[in-house]
Amino acid sequence: YQHDIYARVGIFLGFVHYFQSLCFYGLGHINIELRAFWVAYACTFVLAVLLALVLRFDIVPQAGRKQFLPKCEFLGPLAILPAAVGMSLEFRVEYDPTAIALCWVFVFVAYIMQLVYSLRILEIVLPDEKFEGLGERLGTSWLPEGWTKVPSSFYHVLYAVAPPTKLQPGQHDIVREVKEGGRGAYGEVTGDSSGAAAEEVDDDRRYHKIIPSAFSDVEAVNPWKLLAAICALLPCMWVFLIFGTAIDVAIGEQALV
């Protein structure tokens, strides 16, 4: 079940990173190629609003979950503003040491906001150990008991098709009835485990009880760990970039070349 759920979370991460990359690409292209000062702000503002809306619609934290960085996912779209101001100061026509100093300040502000934003993304994609599943209600998502390795912040978009734990009276398992020659889930529905029909066990069902799952002994097949490792790489990269930029400010941008 984790593969279906984290595939949905992975699609979300792909879109938000794509939208944010469009913002920074727009700043670079419009300022460097077109030299259009206000156009850069206008285009990136629209994309930043789109990013904020996607974050708002897809991330709804649970009330009982402990959060270390609440609401910090909105630092992602907000980081576009100091980046835009810093690029405007960088490409100004006249030389001014004060403008250069302010440019470095806005650069570090944008980097720090991106660092906190990436940490927040890592926090929300981690599964909740205390997540007990969703109550079964008509028209809403439902997860069986024991399906706890899921991020609760995405509970409203987890459209997982989970198998029922039991059949209710009046329900019929057509696939099993065809496969087992009419016996179906008779004992589960009626609660009667006696009789020849209930005592017979299909060879295929017995086989699946004896043979374990194909992935039971494979530790690498764990989607939440894979996605968390990818998200954990982003804060490390931002720390490295902040450290490298601080060295550039201290000794010069081309001192190590």
Side-chain angles (χ1 to χ4, degrees), residues 31-173:
N31 280 291
I32 297 174
E33 298 290 339
L34 304 179
R35 299 289 181 172
F37 178 82
W38 295 109
V39 177
Y41 283 89
C43 292
T44 55
F45 174 77
V46 174
L47 293 172
V49 170
L50 175 60
L51 174 60
L53 289 176
V54 173
L55 294 170
R56 176 62 183 87
F57 292 154
D58 274 22
I59 301 176
V60 179
Q62 291 289 314
R65 182 182 181 182
K66 183 179 181 180
Q67 301 182 63
F68 296 96
L69 299 170
K71 303 296 183 181
C72 287
E73 63 269 17
F74 295 108
L75 290 180
L78 290 176
I80 309 300
L81 179 59
V85 176
M87 183 162 283
S88 300
L89 294 174
E90 177 71 17
F91 286 91
R92 68 192 309 271
V93 178
E94 299 177 355
Y95 174 79
D96 187 358
T98 304
I100 295 176
L102 287 176
C103 177
W104 282 117
V105 171
F106 281 107
V107 167
F108 279 103
V109 170
Y111 284 0
I112 294 174
M113 293 174 71
Q114 284 291 130
L115 173 61
V116 179
Y117 165 70
S118 60
L119 290 173
R120 173 60 174 170
I121 293 296
L122 174 61
E123 180 184 16
I124 63 175
V125 301
L126 292 176
D128 299 1
E129 295 296 336
K130 297 182 180 179
F131 186 69
E132 299 178 354
L134 303 175
E136 187 173 3
R137 293 183 299 171
L138 185 64
T140 61
S141 300
W142 173 75
L143 296 178
E145 184 179 357
W147 289 25
T148 57
K149 291 292 184 179
V150 295
S152 62
S153 297
F154 298 92
Y155 77 98
H156 58 296
V157 292
L158 299 180
Y159 302 113
V161 181
T165 57
K166 62 180 180 179
L167 293 177
Q168 301 295 332
Q171 294 181 338
H172 302 278
D173 189 347

